[in-house]
């Protein structure tokens, strides 16, 4: 059974940093792009970014709204992906989902990040 | 930047009705278009990819079609369990933009 489990969410002050983790099981993690998608309270889905599989270079790409502040990485030896979020803003408050496949066939349950003073 | 629009933003229909949702891309996406269903309080679920290919396990009352940069999600015979918000997403190139969503309720 495919599982993606996010962790690391919580309450953080504006300007601070937070790192989310996404632990995968049930599929060949290294073969897949891993995406991060967020959903602000009561709002729609927003693609945050992805990291390609090593076959396609293992490089990340980001939405304009987070570029330069967020960094996506992966450790294929541990089947874990990370979302490092720096210089957080109140607008970054959202549930963050980790998603596998392209398009997004595998979804985690999400982790809530609240940016507030 | 590339824009994805959806219409209508919400609709209410009766059980058994045929429901159509439209997604329009501001530029061509080569049919790299997916549809997702998000039921209230739940995680989104992939319904259709490649504009018209049904994801495994998705009921056959769902279908997708494309005409240029216009894409359509059709629900034949709406069921109570189809109450959800539906999103389109382009995945041909970054950014992988989502549409704003269409909320579907039962009348």
């Amino acid at each position: 059974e495919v599982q993606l489990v996010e962790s690391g969410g919580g309450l953080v002050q504006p300007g601070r940093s937070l790192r989310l983790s996404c632990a995968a099981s049930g599929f060949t993690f290294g073969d897949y792009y891993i995406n991060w998608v967020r959903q602000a309270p009561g709002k729609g889905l927003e693609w945050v970014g992805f990291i390609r599989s090593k076959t396609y270079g293992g490089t990340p790409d980001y939405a304009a709204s987070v570029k330069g502040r967020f960094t996506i990485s992966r450790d294929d030896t541990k089947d874990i992906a990370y979302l490092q979020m720096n210089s957080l803003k109140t607008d970054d408050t959202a549930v963050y989902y980790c998603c596998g496949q392209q398009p997004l066939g595998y979804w985690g349950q999400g982790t809530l990040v609240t940016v507030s003073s | 930047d590339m824009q994805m629009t959806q219409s209508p933003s919400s609709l209410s229909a009766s059980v058994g009705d045929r429901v159509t949702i439209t997604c329009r891309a501001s530029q061509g996406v080569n049919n790299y278009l997916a549809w997702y269903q998000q039921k209230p309080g739940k995680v989104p679920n992939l319904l259709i990819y490649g504009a018209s290919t049904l994801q495994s396990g998705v009921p056959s009352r769902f279908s997708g079609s494309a005409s240029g940069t216009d894409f359509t999600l059709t629900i034949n015979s709406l069921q109570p369990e189809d109450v959800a918000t539906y999103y389109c997403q382009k995945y041909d190139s970054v950014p992988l933009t989502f549409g704003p969503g269409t909320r579907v309720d039962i009348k």
Side-chain angles (χ1 to χ4, degrees), chain A residues 35 37 39 43-47 50 52 61 63-64 97 101-105 107-109, chain B residues 1 34 36 38 42-46 48-49 55 87 89 91 94-100:
Chain A
N35 293 255
V37 172
Q39 187 168 36
K43 302 297 184 182
L45 302 173
E46 180 186 12
W47 178 77
F50 67 35
R52 298 172 176 83
D61 259 305
Y97 296 102
Q101 274 193 335
Q102 206 78 316
L104 312 179
W107 290 71
Q109 290 300 306
Chain B
D1 236 2
Y36 301 87
Q38 186 177 31
K42 301 296 186 182
V43 176
N45 181 49
L46 176 64
I48 286 170
Y49 61 93
Q55 174 75 338
Y87 297 92
Q89 184 203 26
Y91 60 100
V94 296
L96 308 189
T97 310
F98 286 93

Side-chain angles (χ1 to χ4, degrees), chain B residues 4 7 18 20-21 24 27 43 64 66-67 73 81 83 107:
Chain B
M4 303 296 291
S7 60
R18 182 176 183 175
T20 299
I21 298 168
R24 175 168 289 172
Q27 302 169 26
V43 176
S67 177
L73 173 68
E81 60 266 31
V83 169
K107 195 180 294 182

Side-chain angles (χ1 to χ4, degrees), chain A residues 49-62:
Chain A
F50 67 35
I51 186 163
R52 298 172 176 83
S53 62
K54 289 291 192 290
T55 300
Y56 292 94
T59 52
D61 259 305
Y62 303 96

